[in-house]
Amino acid sequence: KAGVTQTPRYLIKTRGQQVTLSCSPISGHRSVSWYQQTPGQGLQFLFEYFSETQRNKGNFPGRFSGRQFSNSRSEMNVSTLELGDSALYLCASSLGQGEIYNSPLHFGNGTRLTVT
Amino acid sequence: AQKVTQAQTEISVVEKEDVTLDCVYETRDTTYYLFWYKQPPSGELVFLIRRNSFDEQNEISGRYSWNFQKSTSSFNFTITASQVVDSAVYFCALGIYGGATNKLIFGTGTLLAVQP
């Protein structure tokens, strides 16, 4: 079974630009979450999607947005990039429903975004 | 408020030594989950274990063991006879599942370096 796939692995952008990151969950997983990892703030929850609906959102500005498609694939977008957005962005998937609701999150390798 | 504290920033041991990684959590929820993840240099977060708040049994899996104590709000992780391949950053996380959410609160991680 293929794991969580994130593309691209590396991105270099300039301040003010926007960026879109992609995540394909494990087959059968309907919940997709996004986390930002930085040396200063550690791992922080961005948002979670289930059945194309955002179920929860972390404490990030509106420049950070996401969406989920009918096949459970998800994208996150960051507009008007700032230097502080440089981070490893991790996507995680889980079954996300029913008695198996609390199934563990399975993470991808992440997308490393550098903003110059 | 929910919080996870990993007081040990870095630990260095020599191969075959035993090492314990500490994790202390805070939550007012009565139902919660605790996790340990490993992050090798490749960046992917690898799921190691999940415990729920009603199950305080300690667990052993090969060289790994976990000690969950609700009385002290701790969920410590021990690696017996450490190996160089165990070198990674280890994260403890608290899972909050109030309503319909699937959110993890991570500690700051402990960098484990196992020297040959």
Side-chain angles (χ1 to χ4, degrees), chain B residues 14-45:
Chain B
V14 177
E15 208 169 18
K16 296 185 183 176
E17 284 186 22
D18 298 347
V19 58
T20 295
L21 309 182
D22 298 332
C23 173
V24 174
Y25 63 93
E26 296 175 32
T27 181
R28 293 183 179 177
D29 295 89
T30 56
T31 302
Y32 53 88
Y33 286 77
L34 295 165
F35 300 79
W36 275 95
Y37 282 86
K38 171 183 179 180
Q39 187 175 43
S42 61
E44 179 181 359
L45 280 168

Side-chain angles (χ1 to χ4, degrees), chain A residues 45-96:
Chain A
F45 172 77
L46 278 157
F47 26 64
E48 184 214 359
Y49 288 88
F50 179 79
S51 292
E52 302 178 66
T53 301
Q54 187 181 87
R55 283 204 295 203
N56 198 10
K57 189 176 191 302
N59 188 24
F60 279 82
R63 300 185 296 107
F64 292 81
S65 63
R67 59 177 176 169
Q68 186 180 34
F69 302 96
S70 57
N71 61 359
S72 294
R73 191 177 68 85
S74 176
E75 289 180 348
M76 68 163 281
N77 184 277
V78 188
S79 62
T80 319
L81 284 166
E82 300 177 0
L83 295 178
D85 297 333
S86 295
L88 179 66
Y89 289 88
L90 290 161
C91 168
S93 75
S94 70
L95 290 160

Side-chain angles (χ1 to χ4, degrees), chain A:
Chain A
K1 206 177 201 180
V4 177
T5 304
Q6 291 187 247
T7 56
R9 286 297 309 275
Y10 302 94
L11 266 178
I12 299 175
K13 290 286 186 178
T14 304
R15 232 177 351 177
Q17 288 186 315
Q18 75 161 15
V19 67
T20 298
L21 312 181
S22 180
C23 172
S24 293
I26 291 172
S27 178
H29 284 193
R30 296 172 63 187
S31 167
V32 173
S33 304
W34 289 88
Y35 288 79
Q36 182 197 62
Q37 186 176 22
T38 60
Q41 300 298 318
L43 277 154
Q44 293 188 288
F45 172 77
L46 278 157
F47 26 64
E48 184 214 359
Y49 288 88
F50 179 79
S51 292
E52 302 178 66
T53 301
Q54 187 181 87
R55 283 204 295 203
N56 198 10
K57 189 176 191 302
N59 188 24
F60 279 82
R63 300 185 296 107
F64 292 81
S65 63
R67 59 177 176 169
Q68 186 180 34
F69 302 96
S70 57
N71 61 359
S72 294
R73 191 177 68 85
S74 176
E75 289 180 348
M76 68 163 281
N77 184 277
V78 188
S79 62
T80 319
L81 284 166
E82 300 177 0
L83 295 178
D85 297 333
S86 295
L88 179 66
Y89 289 88
L90 290 161
C91 168
S93 75
S94 70
L95 290 160
Q97 187 180 29
E99 64 180 25
I100 46 178
Y101 178 83
N102 295 318
S103 61
L105 297 183
H106 296 270
F107 286 83
N109 286 332
T111 294
R112 185 164 295 282
L113 172 65
T114 302
V115 182
T116 61

